[in-house]
Amino acid sequence: MLGGKFTPPTARECACPTGKPGSRAGWTAVGYTGAMSPTRARVAALQIAALGTVACGSEQTGPEPDPPIPFEYARDDTLRMDQLQLVATHNSYRIMPEGMTITALQYDHPPLDVQLREQGARGFELDIRYDAELDTFVVYHLPVIDELTHCPRLVDCLRALEKWSRKRPGHHPLFVQIEPKDGLPADAEPLVSKLEQEILSVWPRSRIVTPDDVRGDSPTLAAALASDGWPTLGETRGKIVFFVDDTSSFRDGYTRGGKDLDGRLMFVDSDPGDPFGGFAVINDPIGGATSIAAALAANFIVRTRADGDNIEPLAGDTTRRDAALSSGAQVVSTDYPVAKPGVNFVVELPGGAPSRCNPVTAPAECAATDIENPAFVE
């Protein structure tokens, strides 16, 4: 990222020109000097606004939020969270820069709440980096050439998901793939603690499905999955699941040298036989078909991709998409969850509502509306 320094504004530097407590109209972006990337500039504005709201007045008041939508599912005590299949978006936060000439990067997505509400996405991918100067985790794709994002900070992305979820507790669990773009230092715990504190600042622990929830009293996560499987949909509705897409230094630090996920909030990419195993990221559903089958046999949840780098979509080739959908991978990621003009490619689950019963792991009596009923999330 480009240079730039943040100095928190004082109350005297803040101005509420309308005179209303907590007003953010007319803010001047004080506190930043030097060149800033678009992402850092947007993070700066968000942090200044948050500080200013506190400095200049009380929180804004408004009408009480609508009550949660009631729901009831007949098979919630028997169907489990690995017996579904959902559509996820790749680089879910991304806005395509104007004039992008790199073919692989000629795609983008609407804001996360629009993906939830209008596109049926229930899985998301967030690329994160820790910005030491801003003391927060930021979300964007590539420095300089591909930094535009709907949610510059991790907490912004999580708030968009949490707000939608809180109103609709009848949704099946949301799946969020965290892809660290940087590794962890030798002393990993301070940064791990910072990351998990940011997650918990938005999503309470009671609404996160964690490795400890699945492990229970078993000695390892793998042992728990072998004996008891995943929690039921009834136990996980209205919740979120995080998993880390990394098999190098970040995973090593997060699992304490490959030992366990005790006390952690997130699952990690793993293989059958790993004591911390439970999630597998297998992006190629054709070349990785045997690996996907082995992971499912070990009661894993698998993420795969229906397309990549615009290769299949621009060619109108559905071979990879069809392999992903039939593989039984629970999380099927795409850049095309809805049809787009000029592209003969879209990833929709046959009979999905929008998610569906998993074609490999779900029992025969399962119906798509057992997984998630649109009447309970509209």
Side-chain angles (χ1 to χ4, degrees), residues 280-346:
V281 177
I282 305 172
N283 288 327
D284 182 357
I286 299 174
T290 300
S291 297
I292 291 176
L296 295 178
N299 286 341
F300 272 44
I301 288 176
V302 178
R303 183 263 196 177
T304 194
R305 291 184 66 178
D307 49 271
D309 296 334
N310 259 330
I311 295 172
E312 297 84 7
L314 297 187
D317 182 357
T318 63
T319 306
R320 179 175 178 175
R321 179 200 70 182
D322 296 344
L325 296 180
S326 64
S327 71
Q330 290 87 350
V331 181
V332 179
S333 179
T334 180
D335 291 323
Y336 293 85
V338 295
K340 298 182 180 180
V343 180
N344 185 27
F345 186 92
V346 65

Side-chain angles (χ1 to χ4, degrees), residues 124-320:
F124 304 90
E125 177 186 343
L126 304 176
D127 295 337
I128 66 168
R129 294 171 172 82
Y130 177 65
D131 189 309
E133 289 188 38
L134 300 177
D135 190 29
T136 192
F137 286 90
V138 295
V139 175
Y140 66 95
H141 190 214
L142 298 170
V144 183
I145 67 167
D146 199 19
E147 289 193 333
L148 298 185
T149 170
H150 287 293
C151 38
R153 299 176 299 180
L154 175 61
V155 292
D156 302 321
C157 301
L158 298 183
R159 285 187 184 119
L161 299 176
E162 193 280 332
K163 182 179 179 180
W164 181 91
S165 169
R166 190 175 354 116
K167 164 76 174 175
R168 303 163 179 84
H171 70 79
H172 70 65
L174 305 180
F175 289 75
V176 176
Q177 175 177 317
I178 299 292
E179 184 173 340
K181 291 300 187 179
D182 303 307
L184 287 173
D187 182 9
E189 289 306 311
L191 201 58
V192 167
S193 177
K194 171 67 177 173
L195 174 58
E196 297 202 332
Q197 285 172 10
E198 290 202 3
I199 293 173
L200 290 171
S201 74
V202 180
W203 283 84
R205 170 65 181 80
S206 60
R207 291 174 59 204
I208 302 173
V209 181
T210 72
D212 282 352
D213 294 334
V214 179
R215 182 173 61 84
D217 295 329
S218 296
T220 66
L221 180 57
L225 290 174
S227 60
D228 302 321
W230 290 89
T232 64
L233 287 179
E235 294 171 317
T236 56
R237 288 204 183 274
K239 297 186 179 184
I240 195 168
V241 188
F242 296 96
F243 62 101
V244 176
D245 181 9
D246 182 87
T247 57
S248 57
S249 64
F250 190 99
R251 187 182 75 170
D252 188 61
Y254 198 71
T255 60
R256 305 176 182 90
K259 296 178 182 177
D260 58 59
L261 290 170
D262 295 0
R264 300 299 201 205
L265 294 182
M266 303 185 290
F267 297 85
V268 296
D269 182 15
S270 52
D271 296 309
D274 289 337
F276 50 83
F279 270 75
V281 177
I282 305 172
N283 288 327
D284 182 357
I286 299 174
T290 300
S291 297
I292 291 176
L296 295 178
N299 286 341
F300 272 44
I301 288 176
V302 178
R303 183 263 196 177
T304 194
R305 291 184 66 178
D307 49 271
D309 296 334
N310 259 330
I311 295 172
E312 297 84 7
L314 297 187
D317 182 357
T318 63
T319 306
R320 179 175 178 175

